[in-house]
Amino acid sequence: MVDLETVLSDLKAKEGIIPNPFDDVTYGNFWFEKHHQENVDSIHQPAFQQIEYQLNLLIKDKFRQTKTILLTGDAGCGKSHLLGRLKDKLNSSAYFVYIQPIEDYRYFWRHTLQYTVTSLMQIPEGEKQSQLQLWLKSLPVLNSSDWVERLLGEKRAFIRHLKNSYPAGIVEAKKFFTALYQLTTDNYDLACEWLAGEDLDEEDLQLLGLNKSIDNERLARGILSNFGRITDATKPIIICFDQIERAFSNVFNANTIFHNERLVNFLVLISITQENWQTYKRTMVQSDLARINKNIFLDDITIEEAEKLWINRLKPLHLQCHPQANSAIYPLEKKILADNALGERINLRNALNLGGKFFAEYIDKINKIPLPTPNKKRPDFLNKWEQVFAENQQETQKLSIILDYSDEEFLEMFRYVLECLGVENINFQFLSGKNLSKGFTFTCPKTGMKKGFIINNTRSGNSFTAFMKQCEEVINKNRCQQLILIRNVDTPKTGKGAEIYQTLFQPVSKKCIHHKLNLEDLHYLFTYKKLYKYSISGDLNVNFKPILRQELLSDMLRYKILNNCSILNSLGLVKHSPEINIFEKKLINLLQHKNATSFPEIHDNIKEDIDFCDCFIPPYFFRNIILSLYKNKSIINIVNPKDTYTQWNISLLN
């Protein structure tokens, strides 16, 4: 006989923890964030059917006029989950795009274009080609005759044919059709980068047969609009704007433009919490409101549907039991749902949070193999941060991922972090022209110094030169006391831009400083961005309780989460916590009572120590201290220093 308690005890013995099957309750980008499939089709089925109906109306419409659906509901009602389900079920009938919009209106169209193309580059389940390739092949002018095969091998004929087929309304027609042609060649990836607005270098542009990148809002808006001008006979493109709270005006302005410009074959889904919608819609002009074709409110789910969610989450554990438990939701009870519901319905996330809370209590009761427990309980928020941070470590293992994000996205991440640290006087009126959205100034709280903060990862030599000229102007006109450049891409070695860069940033100087982000910096930035966005939309949960923005900011400061971020240390905004010398003494003291110890074990011991259980000690910070004691101070020994640091075995030197 193998009951549930035995299954859980075995899991704890093997893995050191008992995983809570209700931990995963947040949904995001359906192309990249893989989440638990709930598989309860009755949940929000009326909303699903209404959206499917609107999609069918669009397909049957002679003119294929763009339609817009507003999706509202309480925080945690399942809006993002529904978007993912729509993609899973309807991807054979439409192409799906996911956009979490950027707040900066000066970069909104380029950001939207980038995320549109990135989504279209994804390969639907069951297909061998990307959505973009399938879309291109489905254009009527390219799929109707034998000569198309010959046409695809002849660039000029391909472009001429498309220009003749779409004689009016295409923005930068020659450039756009050239990029579409390159999608059919070995230059597919490069063509995608151009369409997504990457600032390509001159060599790559020449390879594509293009003379410039998409470097401004007008052109980005035009290229995006082109997709809505030549898709009248293909499958529709469903554009999902999710978590729009910080970009409300931008999104509805874009939606109105889609309608006013008579773009076709777009089905726009805009997701926002009901509370924020009621607040923001008072500020909207009537023309924006009139462009919403359908307003769908997601109600709470029934108690029976919530019970089915519990059954799905617990099923993998129950399958390991012999015989099966009498109840499919054991050790939970349906009464828990009834006691916490408003009438016959309950919020979807609340239902999952209740399951997680009561399952955690059950785990505490049946612990048969106790693990060492600290004298002081580690805060729940720290556990949440470490969980998401570890997820980002798994997802982000190469610095090259920097090229998947725009300079403006990184600037937004840094701005969120600076605001969390209480930095004031953040001013975006710093640079000008095409570089307007690539920097800001702020006042350092510790020194009162006015610092300029700029990000530039362009591969284009011309763009780099223009950017360096702006840096030179900033310094000459004393617009800041210190200029900080974040750039990971190699700088050009020759040319005017390289000359200015060497003059400003090459000498050791406190006036102009060039920083490169490391992987750990990215883990910090991505983790905080994710939690911040979730807190704004009401989707952040800690220990199965909702956490809003203000509480997030408070916890970040209380536990000094950001203090060991190397880039923030370099900028003088934080200091290491705990102090390195105190940490070294504690580590040495712990090793005195052990033989060779593995890195994960000693790291866990440090985190559980009463002096450190209230702070975040990332693995790389711990790694650096061990390396210092090993190489510089010859105090400890790493038995296998050539292995990955997580596999090290560590001991004190005799």
Side-chain angles (χ1 to χ4, degrees):
M1 176 178 175
V2 181
D3 60 12
L4 184 59
E5 292 184 13
T6 303
V7 170
L8 296 178
S9 296
D10 287 345
L11 279 172
K12 188 171 184 179
K14 292 176 183 177
E15 303 178 16
I17 61 169
I18 299 175
N20 192 315
F22 294 90
D23 278 342
D24 177 16
V25 295
T26 302
Y27 302 87
N29 189 329
F30 45 61
W31 285 115
F32 301 109
E33 298 185 29
K34 304 301 181 185
H35 294 287
H36 196 285
Q37 296 297 313
E38 306 299 355
N39 295 323
V40 183
D41 288 343
S42 63
I43 291 179
H44 301 320
Q45 187 63 15
F48 184 97
Q49 291 170 342
Q50 288 182 68
I51 294 170
E52 187 175 25
Y53 177 72
Q54 292 294 323
L55 174 62
N56 290 331
L57 284 181
L58 176 61
I59 294 171
K60 294 175 182 178
D61 180 6
K62 178 181 177 182
F63 301 104
R64 292 289 184 102
Q65 292 183 351
T66 288
K67 291 182 177 296
T68 299
I69 298 173
L70 179 68
L71 201 59
T72 64
D74 295 333
C77 70
K79 297 181 296 297
S80 298
H81 170 252
L82 178 59
L83 294 181
R85 187 170 152 220
L86 287 166
K87 191 269 291 182
D88 291 340
K89 300 288 186 180
L90 301 179
N91 208 172
S92 60
S93 303
Y95 306 112
F96 274 79
V97 169
Y98 182 94
I99 300 170
Q100 188 179 82
I102 197 168
E103 187 177 341
D104 190 348
Y105 70 91
R106 300 168 302 178
Y107 190 75
F108 179 81
W109 286 104
R110 280 170 284 178
H111 175 86
T112 302
L113 176 64
Q114 177 191 5
Y115 272 70
T116 298
V117 174
T118 299
S119 288
L120 292 176
M121 289 171 64
Q122 305 311 307
I123 300 175
E125 188 173 350
E127 297 285 355
K128 295 182 179 179
Q129 293 183 303
S130 71
Q131 293 191 113
L132 189 55
Q133 290 168 312
L134 296 170
W135 169 81
L136 184 61
K137 285 172 60 177
S138 70
L139 291 175
V141 297
L142 296 180
N143 68 3
S144 57
S145 59
D146 294 337
W147 57 264
V148 170
E149 292 299 322
R150 296 193 299 273
L151 186 67
L152 293 179
E154 175 52 53
K155 177 181 172 183
R156 289 183 180 179
F158 180 96
I159 295 170
R160 184 170 60 250
H161 179 64
L162 285 178
K163 289 180 74 173
N164 291 338
S165 302
Y166 304 101
I170 303 299
V171 176
E172 295 286 1
K174 185 176 180 181
K175 290 186 176 67
F176 182 63
F177 293 143
T178 296
L180 295 190
Y181 170 77
Q182 295 293 358
L183 292 175
T184 71
T185 71
D186 292 339
N187 295 326
Y188 170 80
D189 290 336
L190 205 55
C192 287
E193 290 184 28
W194 186 89
L195 285 169
E198 294 290 333
D199 196 5
L200 302 179
D201 62 28
E202 288 70 24
E203 184 178 336
D204 286 340
L205 288 172
Q206 188 175 11
L207 194 61
L208 290 174
L210 296 164
N211 61 5
K212 66 177 293 188
S213 298
I214 302 170
D215 59 0
N216 59 72
E217 288 289 271
R218 182 197 62 80
L219 185 53
R221 171 179 158 180
I223 296 300
L224 181 60
S225 297
N226 286 346
F227 284 97
R229 290 194 171 94
I230 67 173
T231 62
D232 56 314
T234 69
K235 292 192 298 187
I237 298 176
I238 298 180
I239 302 176
C240 303
F241 286 104
D242 195 19
Q243 298 178 337
I244 72 165
E245 277 72 13
R246 292 297 290 261
F248 183 87
S249 298
N250 295 340
V251 171
F252 280 97
N253 176 59
N255 180 63
T256 297
I257 288 172
F258 290 158
H259 285 265
N260 289 350
E261 293 189 356
R262 298 289 189 267
L263 303 185
V264 298
N265 234 10
F266 285 173
L267 180 59
V268 182
L269 294 181
I270 301 175
S271 167
I272 185 172
T273 63
Q274 178 70 3
E275 181 181 0
N276 286 327
W277 167 243
Q278 293 298 331
T279 300
Y280 293 140
K281 78 173 183 179
R282 299 190 190 104
T283 67
M284 292 175 66
V285 297
Q286 190 59 38
S287 58
D288 286 347
L289 284 168
R291 299 302 184 270
I292 301 171
N293 301 97
K294 185 72 177 177
N295 191 330
I296 298 176
F297 177 78
L298 294 189
D299 203 349
D300 290 340
I301 62 176
T302 66
I303 292 176
E304 288 69 29
E305 289 169 337
E307 184 182 24
K308 289 178 182 177
L309 290 180
W310 283 10
I311 291 172
N312 285 346
R313 292 296 180 112
L314 293 165
K315 188 174 182 179
L317 292 174
H318 280 214
L319 288 176
Q320 300 176 57
C321 300
H322 304 287
Q324 295 286 301
N326 292 330
S327 168
I329 60 171
Y330 178 81
L332 308 179
E333 297 177 358
K334 189 175 180 179
K335 184 176 182 297
I336 297 171
L337 292 169
D339 289 345
N340 289 273
L342 293 174
E344 295 298 318
R345 291 183 172 272
I346 188 169
N347 179 277
L348 186 149
R349 189 191 300 120
N350 287 350
L352 291 173
N353 283 344
L354 282 169
K357 175 186 173 184
F358 282 92
F359 191 87
E361 291 179 3
Y362 172 75
I363 291 174
D364 290 340
K365 290 177 182 177
I366 60 103
N367 273 333
K368 292 182 178 178
I369 306 176
L371 293 175
T373 56
N375 297 323
K376 186 178 178 182
K377 185 178 183 296
R378 192 164 177 78
D380 292 328
F381 181 77
L382 271 178
N383 292 330
K384 178 69 174 183
W385 173 272
E386 288 182 345
Q387 173 197 335
V388 180
F389 193 89
E391 290 170 0
N392 279 312
Q393 283 183 299
Q394 291 297 317
E395 295 169 4
T396 309
Q397 299 187 8
K398 294 183 179 179
L399 266 172
S400 58
I401 197 173
I402 284 177
L403 297 178
D404 294 339
Y405 294 82
S406 65
D407 297 336
E408 286 75 8
E409 283 183 280
F410 276 115
L411 205 68
E412 184 174 80
M413 292 183 216
F414 271 106
R415 198 194 85 206
Y416 292 156
V417 167
L418 294 185
E419 288 176 349
C420 175
L421 293 172
V423 173
E424 298 179 345
N425 300 323
I426 298 177
N427 182 9
F428 284 89
Q429 303 304 314
F430 181 42
L431 303 178
S432 59
K434 294 179 180 178
N435 295 310
L436 181 66
S437 59
K438 294 185 182 293
F440 55 72
T441 60
F442 68 92
T443 303
C444 182
K446 296 183 182 297
T447 63
M449 180 183 289
K450 183 180 180 181
K451 299 189 178 189
F453 189 86
I454 54 178
I455 299 181
N456 178 277
N457 278 308
T458 179
R459 289 176 280 168
S460 165
N462 292 336
S463 296
F464 180 74
T465 297
F467 192 79
M468 284 297 107
K469 287 180 178 178
Q470 285 229 330
C471 292
E472 188 176 46
E473 180 183 337
V474 163
I475 295 300
N476 291 339
K477 294 186 177 180
N478 290 316
R479 291 182 186 165
C480 60
Q481 295 168 276
Q482 185 181 73
L483 183 63
I484 300 160
L485 168 66
I486 303 293
R487 180 180 172 87
N488 276 61
V489 176
D490 291 339
T491 56
K493 304 300 182 187
T494 58
K496 184 63 176 176
E499 181 182 321
I500 298 173
Y501 170 80
Q502 290 162 8
T503 302
L504 295 179
F505 294 97
Q506 285 294 73
V508 177
S509 165
K510 293 185 178 180
K511 184 75 172 178
C512 299
I513 302 174
H514 177 186
H515 284 292
K516 290 187 176 183
L517 299 178
N518 58 39
L519 263 179
E520 291 79 17
D521 294 327
L522 297 187
H523 298 151
Y524 266 102
L525 290 171
F526 292 163
T527 300
Y528 185 67
K529 176 193 174 186
K530 180 177 287 188
L531 296 184
Y532 182 84
K533 291 281 189 180
Y534 285 154
S535 73
I536 291 294
S537 62
D539 291 321
L540 178 60
N541 286 274
V542 175
N543 195 23
F544 308 108
K545 296 178 182 178
I547 299 293
L548 298 180
R549 174 179 174 271
Q550 201 53 49
E551 191 170 354
L552 168 67
L553 299 180
S554 176
D555 284 345
M556 292 292 295
L557 295 177
R558 177 185 295 119
Y559 302 120
K560 301 178 181 179
I561 298 289
L562 299 170
N563 282 41
N564 293 320
C565 176
S566 58
I567 184 64
L568 298 180
N569 265 276
S570 299
L571 296 178
L573 294 170
V574 295
K575 290 184 178 180
H576 287 300
S577 178
E579 293 181 18
I580 291 177
N581 62 329
I582 296 175
F583 193 87
E584 288 178 344
K585 289 178 182 177
K586 178 68 70 172
L587 175 60
I588 292 169
N589 183 55
L590 279 173
L591 289 173
Q592 284 177 346
H593 307 287
K594 297 176 179 289
N595 296 320
T597 306
S598 69
F599 181 94
E601 180 182 347
I602 195 68
H603 188 211
D604 286 341
N605 290 158
I606 284 283
K607 289 193 300 181
E608 291 167 358
D609 188 272
I610 190 170
D611 293 330
F612 302 136
C613 67
D614 274 355
C615 59
F616 174 55
I617 303 173
Y620 77 90
F621 175 74
F622 191 47
R623 174 202 64 197
N624 292 345
I625 288 180
I626 289 175
L627 274 177
S628 174
L629 293 172
Y630 171 66
K631 288 185 175 181
N632 303 328
K633 301 184 180 181
S634 300
I635 295 175
I636 69 169
N637 179 48
I638 301 175
V639 178
N640 49 336
K642 293 184 179 180
D643 290 346
T644 305
Y645 73 90
T646 54
Q647 298 175 339
W648 285 348
N649 287 303
I650 307 152
S651 64
L652 279 179
L653 285 173
N654 295 325

